[in-house]
Amino acid sequence: MWRGLVRSAASNLRHSRSYSSAVPLPSIIHKRGIDVLHDPWFNKDTGFPITERDRLGLRGLLPPRVVSFEQQYDRFMESYRSLEKNTVGQSYGVVSLAKWRILNRLHDRNETLYYRVLIDNIKDFAPIIYTPTVGLVCQNYSGLFRRPRGMYFSAKDKGEMMSMIYNWPAQQVDMIVLTDGSRILGLGDLGVQGIGIPIGKLDMYVAAAGINPQRILPVMLDVGTNNQKLLEDRLYLGLRQPRLEGEEYLSVVDEFMEAVHARWPKAIVQFEDFQMKWAFETLHRYRKKFCMFNDDIQGTAGVALAGLLGTVRAQGRPLTDFANQKIVVVGAGSAGLGVLNMAIQAVSRIAGSGANPHFFLLDKDGLLTKERKGIDPAAAPFAKSVAETEEMGLREGASLVEVVKKVKPHVLLGLSGVGGVFHEEVLKAMRESDSIKPAIFAMSNPTTKAECTAIDAFKHAGENIVFASGSPFENVDLGNGKVGHVNQANNMYLFPGIGLGSLLSGAHYISDGMLQAAAECLANYMKDEEIQMGILYPSINSIRDITAEVAAAVLRAAIGEGLAEGHGDVGAKELEHMSEEEIIEHVRRNMWYPIYSPLVHER
Ligand SMILES: NC(=O)c1ccc[n+]([C@@H]2O[C@H](COP(=O)([O-])OP(=O)(O)OC[C@H]3O[C@@H](n4cnc5c(N)ncnc54)[C@H](O)[C@@H]3O)[C@@H](O)[C@H]2O)c1
Ligand SMILES: O=C(O)C[C@H](O)C(=O)O
Ligand SMILES: [Mg+2]
């Protein structure tokens, strides 16, 4: 149960919150009494030792027995397990929200214990604090709201953001996840309720990348919502106005980015769940100016590419064969286009710039060809020419079934946000694939929006497929002791490492080379024996390990490109002189791990 490395208190405290107010020794924190108990960053509940109770004015505010961290941990897990028992037979929504509530209450009260149970039970808890339950939490946010978490900047705050940013109590922030709530998972525009996504992503940053929870900041940019139901909901907590558009919209994002940069010039900003037009626009606008990335475009692309390369290996083919793979991508949004852009780059690296990849792109109106009217410029490079389409017996707007039947793809990859779009006929058509091991990636989230379920994929497309989904599914029992392995193709395998590696590099922007290094690291992480069994991604139980490797790869790439400026007391020169082993050791040393650190100096 007690996995992972236990850091020394001193090293944990190096990243602790520091205070500008003059603090007389012996206290390490400036708060006293009930304020300490009400601060989840420092609270140890019944775990406060007698010396700290004395010196922080806690005597009498707690029952007398001092309970160890291990006992507190076991107590929480017992109540969690009994909640599981007591909710057997109830609906998914009721059970998962009950689980979310119990975890959220701990999060509100005692962050050290919260992150420890999260890290140690990540396989069980990720589906609650992350996809799929986080989607349900966002949908029910107004009703579930008890306490705020993170910061909210709204269209009404124009002109005020530079001063508002100083309302955040931490002196240092390393990692920000920002959304405008316009495309929350596959659930559409959820307005201010989308704040659950940055919170969930940052929980993964703490659990996987060891970013200190005192240095994370979830942010909601509330520029209104076009969701009529929310606008009419009397409990809705966001601005009741249609979304800002055009220059008005961009000026709000600009102001926020400048405010963040002014206070924390080295903070990394992850853009998350923005509708496509703003996802691309803001990425182009800020990517060389600030240290930022768009997770849905860039993080997803790297995870998908790692899976696609794994698929080639699973077929027993050399990686150069990637250039010959026929890949049908369903969904021409920020994620689908991000994947195709990165896949095209990979093909030209592997097979030279003259290679002609066999990629097919569909959106809600079917196969995209050059004949499409009003085609989005971001999708245009992937539209098929008339000659190519005719040669295959296809046409503009051809349906998914037609495309799969004619193309016989090696890979069918969904990022459409439409549950069940890989229906029985589509999956059965995959049996005629030209691959001996066709791959089906149903990457849309949450589970209800997956293009197909794992069971249906193995049932209709055959037992020899490789399967991956964005939200978790159980492995499938194929009978006779055989198991259909379910991979979770989710950007959670990359964004924490991209963020941590970029942070430690101190680079002023995140280059394509850094992102490519992250994807390659994930692709190379899996052993051939695993790949042969259809296992394309590591178990989520190893997410801390894979994240350290990814972060080291990103850091090495930044050093190699001369972008690394260093972080904290480790400068560019020191980074340049580190060996590969020293870099990974440096990354691991900088990963926060939850233990109770002393809050008073020893006399
Ligand atoms: N697994 C992951 O790591 C991951 C990462 C990012 C996004 N996603 C998921 O991918 C989905 C899409 O995200 P996005 O940012 O690209 O959204 P988006 O809104 O930008 O794009 C959705 C695309 O799907 C197309 N589409 C809609 N209905 C369709 C249909 N019936 N057939 C074919 N195409 C259809 C739309 O035309 C559009 O091109 C979401 O559900 C999101 O949760 C998953
Ligand atoms: O949030 C996730 O689980 C993955 C991805 O960022 C998404 O938008 O679906
Ligand atoms: Mg996302």
Side-chain angles (χ1 to χ4, degrees):
M1 183 185 283
W2 299 99
R3 271 192 311 272
L5 58 162
V6 177
R7 301 239 140 276
S8 71
S11 113
N12 253 10
L13 277 171
R14 238 175 346 120
H15 296 282
S16 283
R17 184 182 186 190
S18 51
Y19 287 87
S20 51
S21 54
V23 182
L25 286 175
S27 286
I28 288 171
I29 60 169
H30 77 310
K31 290 187 176 175
R32 284 182 61 78
I34 205 81
D35 289 343
V36 182
L37 296 181
H38 287 171
D39 186 336
W41 287 350
F42 298 113
N43 185 24
K44 302 178 183 177
D45 288 313
T46 51
F48 279 105
I50 298 295
T51 39
E52 291 188 352
R53 293 181 184 210
D54 276 344
R55 310 243 294 271
L56 296 174
L58 297 174
R59 274 221 176 205
L61 300 183
L62 287 162
R65 206 180 116 216
V66 177
V67 173
S68 70
F69 191 49
E70 289 75 5
Q71 284 171 320
Q72 289 183 326
Y73 180 108
D74 290 344
R75 185 170 179 268
F76 176 81
M77 290 308 294
E78 268 166 38
S79 48
Y80 182 82
R81 297 288 171 227
S82 58
L83 178 130
E84 272 187 321
K85 256 195 235 133
N86 297 338
T87 50
V88 168
Q90 297 192 36
S91 71
Y92 155 76
V94 168
V95 177
S96 47
L97 284 183
K99 289 178 175 175
W100 177 82
R101 274 196 203 89
I102 185 174
L103 279 163
N104 190 51
R105 279 199 299 270
L106 181 61
H107 197 179
D108 280 345
R109 203 176 68 233
N110 180 335
E111 290 208 352
T112 315
L113 188 56
Y114 171 72
Y115 284 112
R116 186 62 159 267
V117 298
L118 181 58
I119 289 171
D120 284 358
N121 301 279
I122 190 74
K123 195 168 187 321
D124 284 347
F125 290 165
I128 299 166
I129 56 112
Y130 193 68
T131 187
T133 305
V134 70
L136 204 55
V137 170
C138 290
Q139 287 175 306
N140 292 285
Y141 174 78
S142 303
L144 291 170
F145 181 87
R146 295 293 175 275
R147 301 176 55 148
R149 187 181 295 286
M151 287 193 83
Y152 304 76
F153 292 83
S154 91
K156 296 266 185 288
D157 296 320
K158 261 210 109 242
E160 301 294 328
M161 295 186 195
M162 197 59 90
S163 62
M164 284 166 69
I165 200 85
Y166 286 89
N167 290 344
W168 187 246
Q171 280 209 338
Q172 187 53 48
V173 163
D174 289 338
M175 202 60 235
I176 294 172
V177 178
L178 171 73
T179 190
D180 69 356
S182 54
R183 191 289 273 147
I184 294 300
L185 307 176
L187 302 169
D189 179 351
L190 294 186
V192 80
Q193 310 201 152
I195 183 71
I197 292 293
I199 293 171
K201 294 270 172 187
L202 283 161
D203 268 355
M204 292 303 272
Y205 264 107
V206 178
I211 301 289
N212 189 312
Q214 295 174 14
R215 291 179 170 218
I216 61 173
L217 176 55
V219 176
M220 163 52 62
L221 220 48
D222 184 355
V223 293
T225 177
N226 294 341
N227 181 330
Q228 201 52 36
K229 234 174 114 195
L230 291 180
L231 289 172
E232 286 164 13
D233 178 354
R234 68 190 167 79
L235 290 181
Y236 182 61
L237 294 168
L239 283 190
R240 284 169 188 275
Q241 63 174 55
R243 284 187 175 276
L244 295 186
E245 289 296 340
E247 283 308 314
E248 262 193 307
Y249 173 89
L250 285 171
S251 68
V252 170
V253 194
D254 282 351
E255 189 180 330
F256 169 77
M257 290 301 281
E258 271 149 30
V260 161
H261 196 63
R263 184 164 183 204
W264 302 296
K266 288 289 184 178
I268 317 284
V269 184
Q270 171 169 325
F271 277 57
E272 192 68 51
D273 289 9
F274 282 69
Q275 58 180 309
M276 170 160 131
K277 63 175 177 184
W278 295 130
F280 281 110
E281 174 87 32
T282 50
L283 182 60
H284 293 142
R285 195 173 179 92
Y286 303 125
R287 76 166 298 195
K288 291 281 164 68
K289 204 169 162 204
F290 302 108
C291 202
M292 59 79 67
F293 67 105
N294 183 297
D295 181 40
D296 298 294
I297 300 174
Q298 297 166 302
T300 311
V303 167
L305 180 62
L308 294 174
L309 296 175
T311 303
V312 178
R313 283 168 72 194
Q315 294 164 5
R317 314 282 307 172
L319 276 188
T320 47
D321 208 50
F322 182 57
N324 304 320
Q325 295 275 302
K326 291 184 281 183
I327 302 176
V328 171
V329 173
V330 184
S334 45
L337 295 178
V339 170
L340 281 175
N341 275 315
M342 198 165 200
I344 294 262
Q345 286 171 25
V347 167
S348 42
R349 267 197 316 280
I350 290 169
S353 52
N356 181 25
H358 311 286
F359 299 161
F360 298 79
L361 178 61
L362 287 88
D363 69 1
K364 62 178 184 348
D365 299 318
L367 182 67
L368 261 159
T369 70
K370 305 268 184 235
E371 285 178 282
R372 177 69 64 92
K373 302 231 162 30
I375 192 165
D376 193 293
F382 307 106
K384 289 277 169 221
S385 69
V386 177
E388 279 172 302
T389 358
E390 280 175 359
E391 196 186 319
M392 311 231 34
L394 287 166
R395 57 180 171 80
E396 157 59 35
S399 74
L400 178 56
V401 177
E402 283 176 81
V403 173
V404 172
K405 282 187 174 163
K406 292 273 163 54
V407 174
K408 303 183 191 311
H410 296 80
V411 180
L412 177 61
L413 188 151
L415 281 162
S416 63
V418 182
V421 75
F422 296 173
H423 51 76
E424 188 173 336
E425 203 185 348
V426 172
L427 292 171
K428 282 191 168 151
M430 280 301 284
R431 284 182 182 259
E432 307 304 318
S433 156
D434 279 341
S435 167
I436 48 157
K437 228 176 202 176
I440 296 175
F441 287 74
M443 290 179 69
S444 288
N445 298 313
T447 318
T448 49
K449 303 293 177 185
E451 282 76 8
C452 65
T453 64
I455 291 183
D456 280 355
F458 284 99
K459 182 167 150 203
H460 300 309
E463 294 181 0
N464 57 332
I465 61 161
V466 178
F467 180 79
S469 51
S471 297
F473 281 102
E474 295 289 329
N475 284 343
V476 177
D477 181 356
L478 302 175
N480 303 326
K482 285 193 285 178
V483 172
H485 184 81
V486 174
N487 295 281
Q488 193 175 355
N490 190 292
N491 51 29
M492 69 183 180
Y493 284 114
L494 281 191
F495 71 77
I498 295 173
L500 177 60
S502 305
L503 177 76
L504 295 180
S505 76
H508 66 276
Y509 79 97
I510 300 175
S511 69
D512 281 342
M514 290 159 76
L515 295 165
Q516 189 188 315
E520 278 171 10
C521 172
L522 181 61
N524 295 334
Y525 191 78
M526 304 308 290
K527 298 190 189 72
D528 278 336
E529 307 85 84
E530 295 166 310
I531 293 277
Q532 290 317 315
M533 288 159 66
I535 306 176
L536 305 180
Y537 298 101
S539 154
I540 186 168
N541 284 325
S542 355
I543 196 148
R544 234 173 134 86
D545 188 58
I546 176 65
T547 298
E549 297 282 349
V550 169
V554 170
L555 178 51
R556 276 198 303 274
I559 298 168
E561 290 180 42
L563 288 172
E565 293 174 7
H567 172 77
D569 44 16
V570 177
K573 281 272 159 305
E574 272 169 274
L575 286 175
E576 276 162 30
H577 289 112
M578 283 184 189
S579 64
E580 283 207 7
E581 292 70 34
E582 284 166 340
I583 286 183
I584 183 90
E585 183 42 37
H586 173 63
V587 168
R588 290 188 202 278
R589 234 191 350 263
N590 276 279
M591 290 167 76
W592 178 86
Y593 188 76
I595 53 164
Y596 284 152
S597 301
L599 298 182
V600 295
H601 290 291
E602 296 198 358
R603 285 194 200 277

